[in-house]
């Protein structure tokens, strides 16, 4: 094992010196295995009832630090500041305003801080939980850019309901809310967590918050949310995930800890681990994933916060444009399949129900906020909605409430109410 790791590291270092960046493909087969027999990096292993093995790894020997750009990286244990909410509320240019009484984060929302493996143990101080990759596959399906070239009409302080963007990407269907045109240093959203149907083993569905920078062919992106992805995880459980790329998924980036890059500091949350207690479309969400991604203005590292827990960060050394700011922010759902035409896949998005203003029944994101080089979260001034295949995966933006809600999702071709063919 030691010889194998040394060979990998020597190869990556050579490639880094030649090309200026390490070639860690989005299709990377980085396979974390216990290192206790040699380096004593794994101090404890926990068998989860869903089949996962969680290794409690010495925080200073975690896989992230094997990235050539992080050889001398000093782990930042906490962000230097935590953004707060701006006091000035967003003004909606409407004659009538309606308070969304059905949404009260303090009363009805439960942040996702529990994962299945927690039932069988916990990691000790000084370690981070790393999900052992037991897959025999050597591919992790790429997440393509949501960037686009066309422009669209926007109205200041308004949430547009237009669907005019040209964002279609091969093998992807998306229903999203997005904002662009400014320098963004953070984004957050409260995402209802479901377990939608994934028909094929080579397909996935996800819901997340995403920030991007750069052109369509060579963009940088950081993303986090929940995902059902049998090719990556070997089952159809709903899992917390992170993702990054520095070159449009051409040769860098990956999910979770499948390649070096994302530095973990939390001993409680494992990237890629199954979420406990999934919401049902027939009831109000029992789980809401509160995701915040923001840049530390002193170190330029991008932090991920899950329900108030500081999970870790993407170091600024991984990026160029994102080491300064993001150019766009997106919230919503994404389905990957090679069957997005007739016959269409039955892989669902969100809760598997079409978007609707009926609270609690469909996929939804609330509490959407951004940062723009300030200390406070605020509503975005410019937004737009978009769906690749509205008959299969729709959206509805509730803009008559004092806190707009983005509803999205659909059954694909599955189920009796499907309009998708």
């Amino acid at each position: 094992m030691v010889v194998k790791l040394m060979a990998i590291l020597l190869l990556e270092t050579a490639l880094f010196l030649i090309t200026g960046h390490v070639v860690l493909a989005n299709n990377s087969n980085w396979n974390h295995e216990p290192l206790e027999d040699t380096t004593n990096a794994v101090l404890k292993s926990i068998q989860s009832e869903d089949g996962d093995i969680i290794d409690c790894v010495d925080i200073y020997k975690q896989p992230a630090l094997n990235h050539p750009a992080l050889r001398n990286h000093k782990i930042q244990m906490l962000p230097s500041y935590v953004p707060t909410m701006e006091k000035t509320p967003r003004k909606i240019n409407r004659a009538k305003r309606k308070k969304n009484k059905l949404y009260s984060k303090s009363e009805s929302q439960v942040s996702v801080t529990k994962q299945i493996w927690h039932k069988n143990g916990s990691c000790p101080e000084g370690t981070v939980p790393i999900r052992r990759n037991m897959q025999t596959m050597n591919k992790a399906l790429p997440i393509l850019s949501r960037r686009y070239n066309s422009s669209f009409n926007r109205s200041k302080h308004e949430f547009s309901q237009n669907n005019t963007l040209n964002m279609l990407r091969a093998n992807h269907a998306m229903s999203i809310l997005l904002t662009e045109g400014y320098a963004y240093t953070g984004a957050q959203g409260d995402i209802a967590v479901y377990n939608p149907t994934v028909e094929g083993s080579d397909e996935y569905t996800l819901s997340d918050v995403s920030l991007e920078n750069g052109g369509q062919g060579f963009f940088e992106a950081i993303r986090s949310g929940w995902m059902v992805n049998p090719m990556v995880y070997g089952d159809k459980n709903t899992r917390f995930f992170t993702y990054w790329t520095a070159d449009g998924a051409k040769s860098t980036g990956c999910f979770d800890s499948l390649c070096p890059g994302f530095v973990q500091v939390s001993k409680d949350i494992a990237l890629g681990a199954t979420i406990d207690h999934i919401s049902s479309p027939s009831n109000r969400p029992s789980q809401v994933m509160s995701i915040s991604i923001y840049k530390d203005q002193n170190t330029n590292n991008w932090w991920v916060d899950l329900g108030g827990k500081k999970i870790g960060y993407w170091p600024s050394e991984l990026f160029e444009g994102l080491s300064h700011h993001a150019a766009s922010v997106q919230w919503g759902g994404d389905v990957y399949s090679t069957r997005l035409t007739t016959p269409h896949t039955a892989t669902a998005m969100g809760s598997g129900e079409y978007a609707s203003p009926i609270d609690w029944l469909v996929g939804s994101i609330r509490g959407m906020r951004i940062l723009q080089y300030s200390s406070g979260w605020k509503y975005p001034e410019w937004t737009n909605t978009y769906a690749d295949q509205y008959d299969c995966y729709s959206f509805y933006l509730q803009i008559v409430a004092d806190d707009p809600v983005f509803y999205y999702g659909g059954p694909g071709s599955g189920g009796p109410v499907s309009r998708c063919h």
Side-chain angles (χ1 to χ4, degrees), residues 106-126:
S106 61
E107 296 177 358
S108 59
Q109 304 292 69
V110 180
S111 297
V112 174
T113 56
K114 294 293 185 181
Q115 296 177 314
I116 293 290
W117 68 274
H118 292 159
K119 297 178 181 180
N120 294 335
S122 60
C123 284
E125 294 291 341

Side-chain angles (χ1 to χ4, degrees), residues 22-296:
V22 61
V23 178
L24 287 173
N26 188 72
N27 293 337
S28 170
N29 63 343
W30 176 269
N31 186 15
H32 171 69
E33 299 177 2
L35 303 176
E36 53 191 335
D37 293 337
T38 54
T39 64
N40 201 32
V42 175
L43 303 183
K44 180 180 179 181
S45 293
I46 300 170
Q47 177 71 58
S48 176
E49 66 181 41
D50 64 346
D52 281 357
I53 297 176
I54 304 298
D55 291 325
C56 302
V57 178
D58 185 329
I59 190 171
Y60 297 106
K61 298 179 181 179
Q62 61 178 290
L65 303 180
N66 290 332
H67 193 295
L70 305 180
R71 289 290 188 260
N72 299 314
H73 181 78
K74 182 178 180 180
I75 294 178
Q76 182 181 5
M77 300 306 296
L78 289 171
S80 62
Y81 85 108
V82 177
T84 58
M85 189 66 65
E86 286 193 350
K87 295 182 179 180
T88 303
R90 189 184 75 88
K91 296 180 180 180
I92 300 177
N93 186 19
R94 299 241 166 210
K96 296 182 180 180
R97 297 182 64 188
K98 175 183 177 183
K99 185 174 179 61
N100 187 358
K101 296 181 180 179
L102 291 179
Y103 174 59
S104 174
K105 186 174 179 180
S106 61
E107 296 177 358
S108 59
Q109 304 292 69
V110 180
S111 297
V112 174
T113 56
K114 294 293 185 181
Q115 296 177 314
I116 293 290
W117 68 274
H118 292 159
K119 297 178 181 180
N120 294 335
S122 60
C123 284
E125 294 291 341
T127 69
V128 291
I130 304 292
R131 177 184 177 270
R132 192 182 303 179
N133 179 29
M134 297 172 291
Q135 294 302 98
T136 57
M137 56 76 180
N138 60 6
K139 290 186 178 181
L141 292 176
I143 294 180
L144 300 183
S145 172
R146 291 174 171 179
R147 295 286 293 163
Y148 53 91
N149 293 322
S150 62
S151 61
F152 54 89
N153 294 324
R154 297 172 297 188
S155 176
K156 190 173 183 179
H157 297 300
E158 279 292 333
F159 281 75
S160 171
Q161 195 73 11
N162 294 334
N163 181 16
T164 58
L165 305 183
N166 178 24
M167 296 177 64
L168 185 63
R169 297 292 179 265
N171 301 326
H172 282 256
M174 301 175 291
S175 288
I176 60 173
L177 176 74
L178 71 154
T179 181
E180 67 145 21
Y182 293 92
Y184 303 98
T185 56
Q188 72 174 26
D190 301 333
I191 311 174
V193 182
Y194 293 98
N195 183 242
T197 298
V198 172
E199 183 176 24
S201 61
D202 59 347
E203 302 177 340
Y204 67 66
T205 182
L206 63 83
S207 297
D208 71 351
V209 177
S210 173
L211 297 99
E212 295 185 7
N213 201 341
Q216 182 173 339
F218 203 84
F219 65 94
E220 299 175 334
I222 48 178
R223 305 177 65 169
S224 186
W226 61 260
M227 167 184 282
V228 181
N229 190 331
M231 175 168 264
V232 170
Y233 301 116
D235 56 34
K236 296 184 180 180
N237 295 340
T238 301
R239 297 170 178 270
F240 169 63
F241 83 94
T242 61
Y243 175 86
W244 71 278
T245 181
D247 62 355
K250 288 182 172 62
S251 62
T252 64
C254 64
F255 298 107
D256 307 329
S257 301
L258 294 178
C259 70
F262 186 87
V263 177
Q264 287 184 246
V265 298
S266 171
K267 71 180 186 65
D268 299 318
I269 300 297
L271 306 184
T274 301
I275 299 168
D276 199 7
H277 300 304
I278 303 301
S279 304
S280 169
S282 61
N283 300 296
R284 63 172 51 188
S286 60
Q287 290 288 10
V288 172
M289 175 177 286
S290 298
I291 292 286
S292 299
I293 303 174
Y294 58 94
K295 188 169 76 75
D296 188 308

